[in-house]
């Protein structure tokens, strides 16, 4: 399994971190990502297990996110989640769903996207995208 998270290039840091947090939690639940076992440090302090699947955070221009979402979302074996500007601006989840129902092509305003699935398929879609923080 491969998981890749992509945010819109140029997004303010606070919005990029929020998108990554929301989408990271969402894909963990949707794809049932496995947690590793708890561990102890040398002083005996216990640390709970964390997700064992690496999740690189990449960036792409807005129009590329829309294309990537539409391409990935058409492949059944992939889990595809996105955070749109419609969702980001909503005060509650119910507000989001109400606004989404009246928004044409909400996927044209994606601020973050996560794709999970077979390594080869996810890599094929995302291999050309740079890591967040690089040009």
């Amino acid at each position: 399994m491969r998981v890749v998270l992509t945010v819109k290039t140029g997004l303010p840091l606070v919005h990029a971190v929020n998108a990554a947090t929301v989408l990271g939690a969402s894909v963990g639940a949707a794809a049932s990502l496995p947690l590793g076992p708890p561990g102890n440090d040398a002083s005996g302090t216990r640390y709970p297990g964390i997700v064992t699947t690496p999740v690189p955070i990449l960036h792409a221009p807005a129009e590329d996110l829309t294309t990537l979402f539409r391409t990935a979302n058409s492949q059944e074996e992939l889990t595809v989640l996105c955070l749109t500007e419609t969702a980001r601006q909503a005060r509650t989840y119910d507000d989001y769903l109400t606004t989404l129902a009246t928004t044409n092509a909400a996927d044209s305003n994606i601020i973050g996207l996560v794709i999970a699935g077979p390594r080869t398929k996810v890599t094929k879609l995302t291999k050309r995208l740079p890591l967040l923080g690089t040009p």
Side-chain angles (χ1 to χ4, degrees):
M1 157 97 46
R2 178 153 174 86
V3 178
V4 173
L5 197 150
T6 307
V7 296
K8 183 168 78 172
T9 300
L11 200 60
L13 183 59
V14 66
H15 297 305
V17 170
N18 178 260
T21 301
V22 169
L23 290 169
S26 298
V27 74
S32 300
L33 296 180
L35 293 179
N40 296 321
D41 68 15
S43 67
T45 302
R46 188 167 178 81
Y47 296 87
I50 58 173
V51 171
T52 60
T53 306
V55 182
I57 302 177
L58 312 176
H59 68 94
E63 59 276 3
D64 290 356
L65 285 177
T66 299
T67 301
L68 183 58
F69 172 76
R70 291 175 181 173
T71 302
N73 204 33
S74 69
Q75 299 182 33
E76 284 187 29
E77 61 277 1
L78 298 178
T79 298
V80 183
L81 305 166
C82 71
L83 185 68
T84 64
E85 191 62 32
T86 302
R88 192 189 70 75
Q89 291 182 8
R91 300 294 247 166
T92 67
Y93 200 79
D94 286 340
D95 288 346
Y96 161 61
L97 293 177
T98 299
T99 304
L100 182 64
T102 61
T103 303
N104 289 320
D107 65 356
S108 65
N109 207 355
I110 294 172
I111 61 170
L113 171 70
V114 67
I115 302 171
R119 177 173 292 283
T120 54
K121 292 189 179 288
V122 174
T123 300
K124 182 178 179 180
L125 292 170
T126 61
K127 67 182 173 186
R128 65 175 180 76
L129 300 176
L131 284 169
L132 183 63
T134 62

